Amino acid sequence: MTDSPLAIDIAGLRKTYAASNRQPAKEALRGIDLAIPAGSIFGLLGPNGAGKSTTINIMAGLVNKSAGRVVIWGFDQDVNPRNSRAAIGVMPQELNIDPFFTPRASLEVQAGLYGVPKAERWTDELLALVGLTEQADSYSRSLSGGMKRRLLLAKALVHRPQVLVLDEPTAGVDIELRNMLWRNVRRLNEQGMTIILTTHYLEEAEEMCDRIAIIDRGEVIAMDRTEALVAGADGKTLLIDPGAEVDDPALPGGVSLERRADGKLAFSYKPSQIRADSLIDALRGAGLPIRDITIEQPRLEDVFVELTRKHE
């Protein structure tokens, strides 16, 4: 939990999908608790089927929860559903765009659905923000896949939400669009908007997010500041350049060896089981020459794999 004002406050969130002719009842969420500080860039990570999309759809008012409390920007969904929905914008993973509307028309229609008065609409600014000014009056069916994703971002922003959810925004996109998206996200965040990001590109989450929650099988298995989450991983890599071709040395228990393409030897170990200086002494004792040595710190990917394996 954080002492900062919360953009999203979720407690005991559960969702069970009813049984059908094709499949039995499924418990998608099993008591999710999420505290997302206002003004943060928050990563919501997890394997496929973990419950991320269900959580997002409930926040957006697209799926009804089975139990729990969802408060968005201070508005309880059960008490003020209209205000809670108005406080959040979602850029979905799917390209749900009407091919016969122009980008300008799509934004105007979306603004109308949210009840934004014409005098308060910022369509031209949005088109410029996502780089679609030149395509503003072309049919959406003529846009490239990357341009359609830009339009999805603009549609999510038409009502100036306090919270923006990006669901796998860079899946399958090129580097130019990815860089444009992150520039805009950082700019929006600097202006006070809270960003919630789901992605399978964990290096992006590690770079962009100041806080992260990992969901697996409908449960939150970790939630903390990004640097604290990574620092808590019980695993490091001792990288040694022997300076010549060598045989595999005898290894202490719990240490594994990987030979890198550049000739370096990567020894993975757990600091809770063996200290770095003890490992180095053991390798020297085994006759391993050491020309250079580096310790690689764990990455978010290592933490993700470790936590989800423990939860199996």
Short mmCIF file of all heavy atoms in Angstrom, two decimals, residues 16-70:
data_model
loop_
_atom_site.label_atom_id
_atom_site.label_comp_id
_atom_site.label_asym_id
_atom_site.label_seq_id
_atom_site.Cartn_x
_atom_site.Cartn_y
_atom_site.Cartn_z
N THR A 16 -15.98 -14.58 -11.73
CA THR A 16 -16.20 -15.96 -12.14
C THR A 16 -17.10 -15.95 -13.37
O THR A 16 -18.20 -15.38 -13.34
CB THR A 16 -16.86 -16.78 -11.02
OG1 THR A 16 -16.02 -16.78 -9.87
CG2 THR A 16 -17.09 -18.22 -11.47
N TYR A 17 -16.61 -16.55 -14.45
CA TYR A 17 -17.41 -16.66 -15.66
C TYR A 17 -18.28 -17.91 -15.56
O TYR A 17 -17.79 -18.99 -15.20
CB TYR A 17 -16.51 -16.74 -16.89
CG TYR A 17 -15.80 -15.44 -17.21
CD1 TYR A 17 -14.48 -15.23 -16.83
CD2 TYR A 17 -16.46 -14.42 -17.88
CE1 TYR A 17 -13.83 -14.03 -17.10
CE2 TYR A 17 -15.82 -13.22 -18.16
CZ TYR A 17 -14.50 -13.03 -17.77
OH TYR A 17 -13.86 -11.84 -18.04
N ALA A 18 -19.54 -17.77 -15.87
CA ALA A 18 -20.49 -18.88 -15.74
C ALA A 18 -20.16 -20.01 -16.70
O ALA A 18 -19.54 -19.80 -17.75
CB ALA A 18 -21.91 -18.37 -15.98
N ALA A 19 -20.58 -21.19 -16.34
CA ALA A 19 -20.36 -22.36 -17.19
C ALA A 19 -21.20 -22.25 -18.45
O ALA A 19 -22.25 -21.59 -18.48
CB ALA A 19 -20.72 -23.63 -16.42
N SER A 20 -20.69 -22.85 -19.52
CA SER A 20 -21.42 -22.89 -20.79
C SER A 20 -21.41 -24.32 -21.30
O SER A 20 -20.87 -25.22 -20.66
CB SER A 20 -20.76 -21.96 -21.81
OG SER A 20 -19.47 -22.43 -22.15
N ASN A 21 -21.99 -24.52 -22.48
CA ASN A 21 -22.01 -25.86 -23.07
C ASN A 21 -20.61 -26.35 -23.41
O ASN A 21 -20.36 -27.55 -23.46
CB ASN A 21 -22.89 -25.88 -24.32
CG ASN A 21 -24.35 -25.62 -24.01
OD1 ASN A 21 -24.80 -25.94 -22.91
ND2 ASN A 21 -25.08 -25.05 -24.96
N ARG A 22 -19.70 -25.39 -23.65
CA ARG A 22 -18.36 -25.76 -24.12
C ARG A 22 -17.33 -25.84 -22.99
O ARG A 22 -16.31 -26.51 -23.14
CB ARG A 22 -17.88 -24.76 -25.17
CG ARG A 22 -18.72 -24.77 -26.44
CD ARG A 22 -18.11 -23.86 -27.49
NE ARG A 22 -18.86 -23.91 -28.74
CZ ARG A 22 -18.52 -23.24 -29.83
NH1 ARG A 22 -17.45 -22.43 -29.80
NH2 ARG A 22 -19.24 -23.33 -30.93
N GLN A 23 -17.56 -25.13 -21.88
CA GLN A 23 -16.57 -25.12 -20.82
C GLN A 23 -17.21 -24.90 -19.45
O GLN A 23 -18.30 -24.32 -19.36
CB GLN A 23 -15.51 -24.04 -21.08
CG GLN A 23 -16.09 -22.64 -21.20
CD GLN A 23 -15.04 -21.63 -21.59
OE1 GLN A 23 -13.93 -21.97 -22.00
NE2 GLN A 23 -15.37 -20.35 -21.46
N PRO A 24 -16.55 -25.39 -18.42
CA PRO A 24 -17.10 -25.22 -17.06
C PRO A 24 -16.90 -23.79 -16.57
O PRO A 24 -16.25 -22.97 -17.24
CB PRO A 24 -16.25 -26.20 -16.24
CG PRO A 24 -14.94 -26.27 -16.97
CD PRO A 24 -15.31 -26.16 -18.43
N ALA A 25 -17.47 -23.49 -15.42
CA ALA A 25 -17.30 -22.16 -14.83
C ALA A 25 -15.81 -21.91 -14.58
O ALA A 25 -15.05 -22.83 -14.24
CB ALA A 25 -18.07 -22.08 -13.52
N LYS A 26 -15.39 -20.66 -14.77
CA LYS A 26 -13.97 -20.30 -14.62
C LYS A 26 -13.82 -19.12 -13.67
O LYS A 26 -14.47 -18.09 -13.86
CB LYS A 26 -13.35 -19.94 -15.97
CG LYS A 26 -11.89 -19.52 -15.87
CD LYS A 26 -11.36 -19.06 -17.21
CE LYS A 26 -9.92 -18.56 -17.09
NZ LYS A 26 -9.38 -18.05 -18.37
N GLU A 27 -12.98 -19.28 -12.66
CA GLU A 27 -12.69 -18.20 -11.73
C GLU A 27 -11.48 -17.44 -12.27
O GLU A 27 -10.34 -17.86 -12.11
CB GLU A 27 -12.41 -18.74 -10.33
CG GLU A 27 -12.36 -17.66 -9.27
CD GLU A 27 -12.16 -18.21 -7.88
OE1 GLU A 27 -11.65 -19.35 -7.75
OE2 GLU A 27 -12.49 -17.50 -6.92
N ALA A 28 -11.74 -16.31 -12.91
CA ALA A 28 -10.67 -15.54 -13.55
C ALA A 28 -9.90 -14.69 -12.57
O ALA A 28 -8.68 -14.51 -12.72
CB ALA A 28 -11.26 -14.68 -14.67
N LEU A 29 -10.58 -14.11 -11.59
CA LEU A 29 -9.94 -13.27 -10.57
C LEU A 29 -10.31 -13.81 -9.19
O LEU A 29 -11.48 -14.07 -8.91
CB LEU A 29 -10.38 -11.81 -10.70
CG LEU A 29 -10.10 -11.11 -12.04
CD1 LEU A 29 -10.61 -9.68 -12.01
CD2 LEU A 29 -8.62 -11.15 -12.38
N ARG A 30 -9.30 -13.92 -8.33
CA ARG A 30 -9.49 -14.57 -7.03
C ARG A 30 -9.14 -13.63 -5.86
O ARG A 30 -8.33 -13.97 -5.01
CB ARG A 30 -8.62 -15.83 -6.96
CG ARG A 30 -8.89 -16.81 -8.08
CD ARG A 30 -7.95 -17.99 -8.03
NE ARG A 30 -8.20 -18.94 -9.11
CZ ARG A 30 -7.52 -20.07 -9.29
NH1 ARG A 30 -6.53 -20.38 -8.46
NH2 ARG A 30 -7.82 -20.86 -10.30
N GLY A 31 -9.71 -12.46 -5.88
CA GLY A 31 -9.46 -11.53 -4.77
C GLY A 31 -8.31 -10.59 -5.03
O GLY A 31 -7.37 -10.49 -4.25
N ILE A 32 -8.37 -9.86 -6.16
CA ILE A 32 -7.31 -8.93 -6.55
C ILE A 32 -7.37 -7.66 -5.69
O ILE A 32 -8.43 -7.07 -5.50
CB ILE A 32 -7.46 -8.54 -8.04
CG1 ILE A 32 -7.21 -9.74 -8.95
CG2 ILE A 32 -6.53 -7.39 -8.39
CD1 ILE A 32 -5.78 -10.16 -9.05
N ASP A 33 -6.21 -7.26 -5.17
CA ASP A 33 -6.06 -5.97 -4.48
C ASP A 33 -5.02 -5.16 -5.26
O ASP A 33 -3.90 -5.64 -5.47
CB ASP A 33 -5.57 -6.16 -3.04
CG ASP A 33 -6.59 -6.87 -2.16
OD1 ASP A 33 -7.80 -6.75 -2.42
OD2 ASP A 33 -6.16 -7.56 -1.21
N LEU A 34 -5.38 -3.95 -5.66
CA LEU A 34 -4.45 -3.08 -6.38
C LEU A 34 -4.56 -1.67 -5.84
O LEU A 34 -5.66 -1.14 -5.70
CB LEU A 34 -4.74 -3.07 -7.89
CG LEU A 34 -4.36 -4.28 -8.72
CD1 LEU A 34 -4.83 -4.08 -10.16
CD2 LEU A 34 -2.87 -4.54 -8.69
N ALA A 35 -3.43 -1.07 -5.54
CA ALA A 35 -3.37 0.33 -5.11
C ALA A 35 -2.44 1.06 -6.07
O ALA A 35 -1.22 0.89 -6.01
CB ALA A 35 -2.87 0.44 -3.67
N ILE A 36 -3.00 1.86 -6.98
CA ILE A 36 -2.23 2.52 -8.03
C ILE A 36 -2.18 4.02 -7.73
O ILE A 36 -3.21 4.71 -7.80
CB ILE A 36 -2.84 2.26 -9.41
CG1 ILE A 36 -2.89 0.74 -9.68
CG2 ILE A 36 -2.04 2.98 -10.49
CD1 ILE A 36 -3.50 0.36 -11.00
N PRO A 37 -1.01 4.55 -7.36
CA PRO A 37 -0.91 5.97 -6.99
C PRO A 37 -1.22 6.89 -8.17
O PRO A 37 -0.89 6.60 -9.32
CB PRO A 37 0.56 6.11 -6.56
CG PRO A 37 1.03 4.72 -6.28
CD PRO A 37 0.27 3.84 -7.22
N ALA A 38 -1.85 8.00 -7.87
CA ALA A 38 -2.11 9.02 -8.88
C ALA A 38 -0.78 9.56 -9.40
O ALA A 38 0.15 9.78 -8.64
CB ALA A 38 -2.95 10.14 -8.28
N GLY A 39 -0.71 9.74 -10.71
CA GLY A 39 0.49 10.29 -11.33
C GLY A 39 1.58 9.28 -11.62
O GLY A 39 2.65 9.66 -12.10
N SER A 40 1.32 8.01 -11.37
CA SER A 40 2.35 7.00 -11.59
C SER A 40 2.22 6.38 -12.98
O SER A 40 1.22 6.56 -13.68
CB SER A 40 2.23 5.88 -10.54
OG SER A 40 1.00 5.19 -10.68
N ILE A 41 3.28 5.68 -13.39
CA ILE A 41 3.21 4.78 -14.54
C ILE A 41 3.30 3.38 -13.95
O ILE A 41 4.34 2.98 -13.43
CB ILE A 41 4.34 5.03 -15.55
CG1 ILE A 41 4.28 6.47 -16.07
CG2 ILE A 41 4.23 4.06 -16.72
CD1 ILE A 41 5.36 6.80 -17.10
N PHE A 42 2.20 2.67 -14.01
CA PHE A 42 2.03 1.42 -13.29
C PHE A 42 1.97 0.26 -14.26
O PHE A 42 1.17 0.25 -15.20
CB PHE A 42 0.75 1.48 -12.46
CG PHE A 42 0.57 0.35 -11.48
CD1 PHE A 42 0.96 0.49 -10.15
CD2 PHE A 42 0.00 -0.84 -11.88
CE1 PHE A 42 0.79 -0.54 -9.24
CE2 PHE A 42 -0.18 -1.88 -10.98
CZ PHE A 42 0.22 -1.73 -9.66
N GLY A 43 2.83 -0.74 -14.05
CA GLY A 43 2.85 -1.92 -14.91
C GLY A 43 2.00 -3.03 -14.32
O GLY A 43 2.16 -3.40 -13.17
N LEU A 44 1.07 -3.55 -15.13
CA LEU A 44 0.24 -4.69 -14.73
C LEU A 44 0.67 -5.86 -15.60
O LEU A 44 0.30 -5.95 -16.77
CB LEU A 44 -1.24 -4.36 -14.94
CG LEU A 44 -2.27 -5.34 -14.40
CD1 LEU A 44 -2.15 -5.48 -12.89
CD2 LEU A 44 -3.68 -4.91 -14.79
N LEU A 45 1.48 -6.75 -15.01
CA LEU A 45 2.13 -7.80 -15.79
C LEU A 45 1.62 -9.17 -15.37
O LEU A 45 1.15 -9.37 -14.26
CB LEU A 45 3.64 -7.73 -15.60
CG LEU A 45 4.31 -6.36 -15.77
CD1 LEU A 45 5.80 -6.48 -15.54
CD2 LEU A 45 4.01 -5.80 -17.15
N GLY A 46 1.78 -10.14 -16.28
CA GLY A 46 1.40 -11.50 -15.97
C GLY A 46 1.40 -12.35 -17.22
O GLY A 46 1.35 -11.83 -18.35
N PRO A 47 1.46 -13.68 -17.06
CA PRO A 47 1.40 -14.58 -18.22
C PRO A 47 0.04 -14.47 -18.91
O PRO A 47 -0.91 -13.89 -18.37
CB PRO A 47 1.59 -15.97 -17.59
CG PRO A 47 2.05 -15.75 -16.20
CD PRO A 47 1.55 -14.40 -15.78
N ASN A 48 -0.07 -15.07 -20.10
CA ASN A 48 -1.36 -15.13 -20.78
C ASN A 48 -2.37 -15.86 -19.89
O ASN A 48 -2.06 -16.89 -19.30
CB ASN A 48 -1.22 -15.88 -22.11
CG ASN A 48 -0.45 -15.08 -23.14
OD1 ASN A 48 -0.47 -13.84 -23.12
ND2 ASN A 48 0.22 -15.75 -24.06
N GLY A 49 -3.57 -15.31 -19.82
CA GLY A 49 -4.61 -15.93 -19.02
C GLY A 49 -4.51 -15.65 -17.53
O GLY A 49 -5.23 -16.25 -16.74
N ALA A 50 -3.65 -14.72 -17.14
CA ALA A 50 -3.44 -14.45 -15.71
C ALA A 50 -4.59 -13.65 -15.10
O ALA A 50 -4.79 -13.68 -13.89
CB ALA A 50 -2.13 -13.69 -15.51
N GLY A 51 -5.33 -12.90 -15.94
CA GLY A 51 -6.42 -12.08 -15.43
C GLY A 51 -6.25 -10.60 -15.70
O GLY A 51 -7.06 -9.78 -15.24
N LYS A 52 -5.22 -10.23 -16.46
CA LYS A 52 -4.97 -8.80 -16.74
C LYS A 52 -6.13 -8.18 -17.52
O LYS A 52 -6.63 -7.12 -17.14
CB LYS A 52 -3.66 -8.63 -17.52
CG LYS A 52 -2.43 -9.21 -16.86
CD LYS A 52 -1.17 -8.89 -17.64
CE LYS A 52 -1.19 -9.40 -19.07
NZ LYS A 52 -1.27 -10.88 -19.15
N SER A 53 -6.52 -8.82 -18.60
CA SER A 53 -7.57 -8.25 -19.45
C SER A 53 -8.90 -8.18 -18.71
O SER A 53 -9.65 -7.21 -18.85
CB SER A 53 -7.73 -9.08 -20.73
OG SER A 53 -6.57 -8.96 -21.54
N THR A 54 -9.19 -9.19 -17.91
CA THR A 54 -10.43 -9.16 -17.12
C THR A 54 -10.41 -7.99 -16.16
O THR A 54 -11.42 -7.27 -16.01
CB THR A 54 -10.59 -10.48 -16.34
OG1 THR A 54 -10.67 -11.58 -17.26
CG2 THR A 54 -11.86 -10.45 -15.50
N THR A 55 -9.29 -7.77 -15.51
CA THR A 55 -9.16 -6.64 -14.58
C THR A 55 -9.38 -5.31 -15.30
O THR A 55 -10.11 -4.43 -14.81
CB THR A 55 -7.77 -6.65 -13.91
OG1 THR A 55 -7.59 -7.89 -13.22
CG2 THR A 55 -7.63 -5.51 -12.92
N ILE A 56 -8.74 -5.15 -16.46
CA ILE A 56 -8.87 -3.92 -17.23
C ILE A 56 -10.32 -3.71 -17.68
O ILE A 56 -10.87 -2.61 -17.58
CB ILE A 56 -7.93 -3.95 -18.45
CG1 ILE A 56 -6.48 -3.79 -17.99
CG2 ILE A 56 -8.28 -2.85 -19.44
CD1 ILE A 56 -5.48 -4.01 -19.09
N ASN A 57 -10.96 -4.77 -18.17
CA ASN A 57 -12.33 -4.65 -18.65
C ASN A 57 -13.31 -4.31 -17.53
O ASN A 57 -14.30 -3.62 -17.75
CB ASN A 57 -12.75 -5.94 -19.35
CG ASN A 57 -12.07 -6.11 -20.70
OD1 ASN A 57 -11.69 -5.14 -21.35
ND2 ASN A 57 -11.90 -7.35 -21.13
N ILE A 58 -13.03 -4.80 -16.33
CA ILE A 58 -13.86 -4.43 -15.19
C ILE A 58 -13.66 -2.96 -14.85
O ILE A 58 -14.61 -2.22 -14.60
CB ILE A 58 -13.55 -5.34 -13.97
CG1 ILE A 58 -14.06 -6.76 -14.23
CG2 ILE A 58 -14.19 -4.78 -12.71
CD1 ILE A 58 -13.66 -7.76 -13.16
N MET A 59 -12.40 -2.50 -14.84
CA MET A 59 -12.12 -1.09 -14.56
C MET A 59 -12.81 -0.18 -15.58
O MET A 59 -13.31 0.88 -15.23
CB MET A 59 -10.61 -0.83 -14.57
CG MET A 59 -9.88 -1.34 -13.36
SD MET A 59 -8.18 -0.69 -13.25
CE MET A 59 -7.40 -1.49 -14.63
N ALA A 60 -12.84 -0.63 -16.85
CA ALA A 60 -13.43 0.17 -17.91
C ALA A 60 -14.95 0.07 -17.95
O ALA A 60 -15.59 0.77 -18.74
CB ALA A 60 -12.85 -0.26 -19.26
N GLY A 61 -15.52 -0.77 -17.12
CA GLY A 61 -16.98 -0.92 -17.09
C GLY A 61 -17.51 -1.82 -18.19
O GLY A 61 -18.72 -1.82 -18.46
N LEU A 62 -16.64 -2.61 -18.82
CA LEU A 62 -17.05 -3.49 -19.91
C LEU A 62 -17.44 -4.88 -19.42
O LEU A 62 -18.13 -5.62 -20.13
CB LEU A 62 -15.92 -3.62 -20.95
CG LEU A 62 -15.45 -2.31 -21.58
CD1 LEU A 62 -14.26 -2.55 -22.49
CD2 LEU A 62 -16.59 -1.64 -22.34
N VAL A 63 -16.98 -5.26 -18.24
CA VAL A 63 -17.28 -6.56 -17.64
C VAL A 63 -17.75 -6.32 -16.21
O VAL A 63 -17.16 -5.50 -15.49
CB VAL A 63 -16.04 -7.48 -17.66
CG1 VAL A 63 -16.28 -8.74 -16.83
CG2 VAL A 63 -15.67 -7.85 -19.09
N ASN A 64 -18.79 -7.02 -15.82
CA ASN A 64 -19.30 -6.91 -14.45
C ASN A 64 -18.50 -7.81 -13.52
O ASN A 64 -18.26 -8.98 -13.82
CB ASN A 64 -20.78 -7.29 -14.39
CG ASN A 64 -21.66 -6.31 -15.13
OD1 ASN A 64 -21.39 -5.11 -15.15
ND2 ASN A 64 -22.71 -6.81 -15.77
N LYS A 65 -18.10 -7.27 -12.38
CA LYS A 65 -17.36 -8.06 -11.41
C LYS A 65 -18.31 -8.99 -10.66
O LYS A 65 -19.52 -8.74 -10.59
CB LYS A 65 -16.62 -7.15 -10.43
CG LYS A 65 -17.53 -6.28 -9.55
CD LYS A 65 -16.69 -5.35 -8.69
CE LYS A 65 -17.54 -4.57 -7.70
NZ LYS A 65 -18.50 -3.67 -8.34
N SER A 66 -17.76 -10.03 -10.06
CA SER A 66 -18.54 -10.94 -9.23
C SER A 66 -18.56 -10.48 -7.78
O SER A 66 -19.53 -10.71 -7.06
CB SER A 66 -17.98 -12.37 -9.31
OG SER A 66 -18.01 -12.85 -10.64
N ALA A 67 -17.46 -9.86 -7.34
CA ALA A 67 -17.37 -9.35 -5.97
C ALA A 67 -16.21 -8.38 -5.89
O ALA A 67 -15.35 -8.33 -6.78
CB ALA A 67 -17.16 -10.50 -4.98
N GLY A 68 -16.17 -7.59 -4.80
CA GLY A 68 -15.06 -6.67 -4.58
C GLY A 68 -15.45 -5.22 -4.80
O GLY A 68 -16.58 -4.89 -5.15
N ARG A 69 -14.46 -4.35 -4.59
CA ARG A 69 -14.66 -2.90 -4.72
C ARG A 69 -13.68 -2.34 -5.75
O ARG A 69 -12.50 -2.67 -5.74
CB ARG A 69 -14.43 -2.21 -3.37
CG ARG A 69 -14.75 -0.71 -3.39
CD ARG A 69 -14.41 -0.03 -2.06
NE ARG A 69 -12.98 0.26 -1.98
CZ ARG A 69 -12.15 -0.29 -1.10
NH1 ARG A 69 -12.60 -1.19 -0.25
NH2 ARG A 69 -10.87 0.03 -1.08
N VAL A 70 -14.19 -1.48 -6.62
CA VAL A 70 -13.36 -0.80 -7.62
C VAL A 70 -13.62 0.69 -7.52
O VAL A 70 -14.75 1.15 -7.74
CB VAL A 70 -13.66 -1.30 -9.05
CG1 VAL A 70 -12.83 -0.52 -10.07
CG2 VAL A 70 -13.38 -2.79 -9.18
#
